Amino acid sequence: MYYFICFIISLLILLWAVAINENMKINQILLIVITAIGDGGYYALVSSNGLENAILANKLTYLIGIFSPMLIFFSICEVCKFKIRHWLVVILYTIQMFLYLSVCSIGKYDFFYQTVEFHKGSTGAYLTKTYGPVHSIYIVTLFLYLVACIGVSAYSFRKKNKVSSQDVDILILASILIVGAYMLERLIHLNVELMPFVFTLGLIAILIPVTKISLYSIEENQELIHTKMKGTGYIFFSKNLRYMGCNDYAELFFPELKEWELEKKIPGSGGRFNTFLRQSFMKYVKENQTEPLDGKPFVIKDRCFHFVIRRLHSRRRHLGYIIELIDVTDFTDYSLQTGTCSEK
């Protein structure tokens, strides 16, 4: 029953993250998902009636043990504004995936468990096992992530104007609690698994500072982004000059965009795009410019627009181009007779 309650709580947290918290990052979403699956695994383990089903459930529980220390570390780095190189993130994920593949071999190979036996007790089913060599690596990673979490947190204390010490304390306490509960469980051999309770409580503790930071972050606050986009138009093109889409504000002043086919070349004639933007855009591409280009202001529907053409990048890869349309009517002198605008 206790495991089922933890499973329900983790599912409710997952539902909250999907339905309400739109600012959550991928690491926190993964942490919630694996906690929900892992808690379900603990409940399935105590409810199992045979070795094969118990081993399968046990593999699900290790999703928490393998991946949550790493995801907690990433969350602490985000809270502490500590940047991690992308290549290092890839390596860390690869190591944890290797460990989990070893977990998946339980019952067939002795990489993670050398032996495993099924038992039924007063609190439900459980397994007794002897550990293989990869399990020792798993224990080492637990302590390394704990040390890394404490190290990053200690480093962040020097930046109290940028990082809340209260948030850091919560994250450190959660990570110590999780690792400490695991070691206590192994030392005194309790009949009841502590990990589903500890991980669920730890998840709630971790989400408190992470959610607070995402809500008050200028860079990540979705409401601020949506507000900015309501008054700014964006038109996207691939590096092969295929049309890749735009937002509603761009369509409002360039209605021909509604008729353009995605991933097709720009139509050759007609429309406001060809009148006001095409020549500057083609020149920018032809000259292979890398710096943003500020275009000459133009007037549409008694509104004055300034546009910027820039390259679109992802991790230094050139993906295409973006044209940003900015309404500057309130900051310019506008003439209805000539249809021109200039800075005040």
Side-chain angles (χ1 to χ4, degrees):
M1 185 62 182
Y2 302 111
Y3 304 108
F4 182 70
I5 292 173
C6 289
F7 180 47
I8 293 300
I9 292 173
S10 59
L11 285 179
L12 290 174
I13 294 173
L14 177 60
L15 181 62
W16 165 78
V18 172
I20 299 175
N21 198 326
E22 61 180 5
N23 299 324
M24 193 163 291
K25 290 187 175 182
I26 184 64
N27 288 323
Q28 286 82 55
I29 293 173
L30 285 174
L31 184 59
I32 295 171
V33 170
I34 66 168
T35 301
I37 296 174
D39 283 349
Y42 280 108
Y43 177 66
L45 176 59
V46 297
S47 305
S48 58
N49 293 314
L51 178 61
E52 186 175 342
N53 290 336
I55 288 177
L56 178 59
N58 191 57
K59 291 175 183 178
L60 294 179
T61 68
Y62 268 104
L63 276 171
I64 298 180
I66 296 291
F67 290 104
S68 65
M70 176 187 68
L71 295 172
I72 291 171
F73 170 66
F74 290 156
S75 297
I76 288 180
C77 288
E78 290 173 9
V79 170
C80 296
K81 297 178 173 58
F82 186 85
K83 298 292 184 182
I84 308 177
R85 298 280 187 178
H86 179 64
W87 59 265
L88 180 57
V89 173
V90 173
I91 291 174
L92 294 178
Y93 265 102
T94 302
I95 293 171
Q96 301 310 107
M97 287 178 181
F98 163 75
L99 291 176
Y100 192 71
L101 285 175
S102 299
V103 170
C104 293
S105 73
I106 293 174
K108 295 182 179 179
Y109 305 102
D110 59 0
F111 301 134
F112 206 81
Y113 288 171
Q114 291 183 332
T115 62
V116 58
E117 296 178 358
F118 177 80
H119 303 277
K120 199 83 170 179
S122 58
T123 58
Y126 63 96
L127 297 173
T128 57
K129 54 265 184 179
T130 57
Y131 298 112
V134 179
H135 190 273
S136 300
I137 300 175
Y138 161 62
I139 298 298
V140 170
T141 62
L142 280 179
F143 282 100
L144 286 178
Y145 278 116
L146 176 60
V147 171
C149 289
I150 295 174
V152 170
S153 303
Y155 172 79
S156 70
F157 276 122
R158 298 185 299 175
K159 303 183 294 182
K160 292 186 178 181
N161 62 324
K162 295 183 179 180
V163 180
S164 168
S165 58
Q166 181 180 355
D167 293 338
V168 175
D169 290 341
I170 291 173
L171 292 169
I172 291 176
L173 182 62
S175 58
I176 292 176
L177 179 65
I178 290 170
V179 176
Y182 178 80
M183 298 310 299
L184 179 65
E185 193 176 87
R186 291 195 64 192
L187 288 173
I188 62 178
H189 304 290
L190 294 175
N191 291 329
V192 178
E193 291 273 4
L194 293 175
M195 298 315 294
F197 308 104
V198 172
F199 273 118
T200 304
L201 289 174
L203 176 64
I204 295 171
I206 289 165
L207 289 179
I208 292 172
V210 167
T211 301
K212 182 175 66 175
I213 287 172
S214 66
L215 288 174
Y216 292 98
S217 170
I218 296 175
E219 296 85 359
E220 299 170 18
N221 189 288
Q222 294 298 314
E223 186 175 348
L224 290 176
I225 295 173
H226 293 159
T227 301
K228 177 177 172 56
M229 289 188 67
K230 286 179 181 178
T232 306
Y234 297 95
I235 309 173
F236 295 89
F237 298 92
S238 70
K239 62 181 179 182
N240 297 322
L241 303 187
R242 306 279 179 173
Y243 172 63
M244 302 305 292
C246 66
N247 67 341
D248 292 340
Y249 195 78
E251 285 186 349
L252 179 64
F253 292 94
F254 291 82
E256 69 271 19
L257 297 176
K258 299 178 183 179
E259 309 299 326
W260 286 12
E261 292 186 56
L262 290 176
E263 300 193 43
K264 297 291 184 180
K265 290 286 189 179
I266 303 170
S269 60
R272 291 172 179 163
F273 181 90
N274 287 303
T275 301
F276 297 109
L277 301 174
R278 185 186 183 102
Q279 185 176 356
S280 297
F281 179 47
M282 291 303 177
K283 181 179 178 183
Y284 181 84
V285 174
K286 184 178 180 180
E287 294 178 355
N288 197 27
Q289 298 185 41
T290 56
E291 297 298 321
L293 172 67
D294 290 318
K296 184 178 179 181
F298 58 86
V299 176
I300 297 177
K301 293 184 179 181
D302 297 339
R303 306 298 298 177
C304 184
F305 287 92
H306 169 72
F307 69 94
V308 179
I309 303 172
R310 58 170 57 91
R311 288 188 171 212
L312 186 64
H313 292 93
S314 176
R315 302 193 187 280
R316 299 182 181 180
R317 290 189 303 123
H318 176 211
L319 300 180
Y321 304 91
I322 180 171
I323 300 178
E324 183 179 6
L325 305 164
I326 307 163
D327 188 337
V328 293
T329 306
D330 297 334
F331 307 99
T332 59
D333 288 320
Y334 169 62
S335 171
L336 281 173
Q337 289 75 23
T338 62
T340 59
C341 50
S342 59
E343 292 186 7
K344 288 183 178 180

